[in-house]
Amino acid sequence: MANRDTHHDKFTKQVLSDKKTAKEFFQLSLPKSILAQVDLDTIEQVKESYVDNELGQGVVDLIYKVKFGMDDGYLIALLEQQSTQDDTMPLRIGKYVLRIASEFLDNHKGSKIPLIYPLLLYTGQGKYKKPLSIYD
């Protein structure tokens, strides 16, 4: 399974490293209220990552610098590739988001908390039926 996850991780990173594809991904994925604030024409991938062995295989984070109005800001796409149903997914995603935000702020003193957009890519059998929110 680790081999398959590694293959998916590499493919996802390669595809979303293309500026045009990343822009289209965010155009299709982000809520309209956020899209109204972001100038995706200024999107530029940043060469850093916060996913490590503690977060595990199957997690991809891609960091992009963009303009939020007149200010520089960051979008972080956090993609969790999952082939099984998992009751703890909302907690796992929350842990990833907090870890990435904390490390990002440690490395970018004076920056605002970045927008981190988590997305579950479910590749298992049938519809994903487990909670997607801690409130479910």
Side-chain angles (χ1 to χ4, degrees):
M1 185 60 156
N3 228 1
R4 180 176 164 198
D5 287 343
T6 302
H7 180 261
H8 284 156
D9 296 352
K10 288 179 183 176
F11 174 77
T12 301
K13 278 195 172 196
Q14 183 177 1
V15 168
L16 289 177
S17 291
D18 177 73
K19 184 176 181 173
K20 181 180 175 191
T21 304
K23 179 180 174 182
E24 290 173 356
F25 168 77
F26 284 115
Q27 286 172 329
L28 294 170
S29 302
L30 290 175
K32 290 179 183 179
S33 60
I34 293 174
L35 282 173
Q37 300 174 49
V38 176
D39 181 0
L40 290 176
D41 289 331
T42 65
I43 197 165
E44 179 182 320
Q45 187 176 4
V46 176
K47 300 291 184 196
E48 53 188 298
S49 176
Y50 295 105
V51 172
D52 59 17
N53 290 335
E54 186 175 327
L55 297 181
Q57 294 284 332
V59 181
V60 174
D61 67 327
L62 296 151
I63 303 169
Y64 302 91
K65 188 173 185 176
V66 294
K67 289 283 187 185
F68 282 85
M70 298 298 291
D71 297 325
D72 287 335
Y74 294 88
L75 293 172
I76 300 177
L78 171 63
L79 300 121
E80 166 75 12
Q81 299 180 47
Q82 185 72 21
S83 62
T84 59
Q85 304 277 331
D86 185 352
D87 285 316
T88 66
M89 184 55 63
L91 293 175
R92 286 177 49 200
I93 296 285
K95 177 181 172 183
Y96 300 156
V97 168
L98 291 173
R99 174 85 182 269
I100 290 168
S102 178
E103 288 187 28
F104 178 89
L105 293 173
D106 287 347
N107 292 332
H108 297 86
K109 301 291 185 201
S111 289
K112 295 179 182 176
I113 297 172
L115 172 62
I116 301 172
Y117 187 71
L119 180 66
L120 175 65
L121 301 175
Y122 177 63
T123 59
Q125 299 294 316
K127 184 178 178 177
Y128 190 82
K129 297 178 183 178
K130 298 298 180 177
L132 294 173
S133 165
I134 59 171
Y135 304 109
D136 289 344

